[in-house]
Amino acid sequence: MIKQARVVPLETPDNSSDSDNESENEEGKDIQVEFEARSPEGEDYQGIKRLLQQLFLRSQVVDCSRVTDTILAQRGIGSVIKQSLPDEVEQQQDGNEETNEVYAISTVLNLADKTKESVIGLRRFLLDQTAKGNDRQVLKYVTDLLSGRIGFLVNERFINIPAQITVPLLETLVLEMRKARDRNLPYDFEYYIIICKLYKPKNLAGAASNEACLFTNPEEELFVGESELCIDYDVSAETSL
C-alpha cells in the first residue's frame, strides 16, 4: 500500500566562508526533499533494523533482526519514511541501498503476544531496565502492565529529519489501529510504552540536570509529560558520547 507523499522543506546551513558569487547564488534557496510514508516492505529490512539499533544500542536481549521481521509481518500497521523519487528514477535505481534508505519509522508492537521471540526479548529488556532501579513497587507496576493490553510504540528517525513528520505518522498509526480493531485484530491497547532518548549533562545534578536535558526527538518530551510512569536508565557506556 502506497501512502500519501508529504513534502518537508529542508534548509542548508549558511556557509559564509564560500565565495561571494556562491553566496549570492545560494542565498535564499531551500533544498526541498519529498518524502513518502509507506507501509514497511521487505526491501526496508536493513533500514528498519538500523533504526532499531539506534534505539537498543548494544543490547544482547533485544534481537533487532527478529523485531524487524515482526514489524514487516504486520500488514497495514505502521509507516516508514523514504525519499520520494519519480517512477523512472526509482526503476533505474531499483535495489540501490542508498535510494532504499529508511529515514524514519512509526509503528506499534503488541507486547502481549508472547508467542513471538521478538516480543519476549522486548519484555525481558523492559523488565531488566526497570529492575535496575531497585524499586520493587515500580517493578511490580511494570510487571502488571505487561500482563495486560499494552503496545510498544516505535517512533524512530534519523536525527536530521524534522520533527513535523511525526504528526501525520502518528495520526496514520492511530487510524490503522482503529481499522485493525474493527477486524478484531489485537491492537486494542490500554497503555503504551515508548523509549525516549535524551541527553543529560554529567556535570549537573538534580533539577538543573533535568532542565538542561535535550530530547533527541523533541516531540517525545510531550509524551513524557503525559506519562503515568517514567524510568530513566543510563546508556552512556554503550555509546561514544
Side-chain angles (χ1 to χ4, degrees), residues 83-96 99:
Q83 186 175 350
S84 178
L85 299 172
D87 291 340
E88 59 274 14
V89 175
E90 193 166 352
Q91 292 174 1
Q92 292 173 4
Q93 300 186 355
D94 187 36
N96 187 321
T99 60

Side-chain angles (χ1 to χ4, degrees), residues 51-52 54-55 79 103-108 152-158 162-163 165-167 169-170 173 193-197 216-221 223:
L51 288 171
L52 291 174
Q54 288 186 176
L55 193 61
S79 303
Y103 293 92
I105 181 168
S106 172
T107 192
V108 67
F152 183 80
L153 186 61
V154 179
N155 177 52
E156 194 66 20
R157 63 178 181 271
F158 284 171
I165 70 166
T166 303
V167 174
L169 287 181
L170 292 179
L173 183 59
I193 290 180
I194 183 172
I195 296 176
C196 303
K197 297 181 298 184
T216 302
N217 295 337
E219 72 280 1
E220 291 178 352
E221 187 171 1
F223 298 166

Side-chain angles (χ1 to χ4, degrees), residues 43 88 120 147 149 230:
E43 66 181 16
E88 59 274 14
I120 292 173
S147 67
R149 304 196 309 273
C230 293

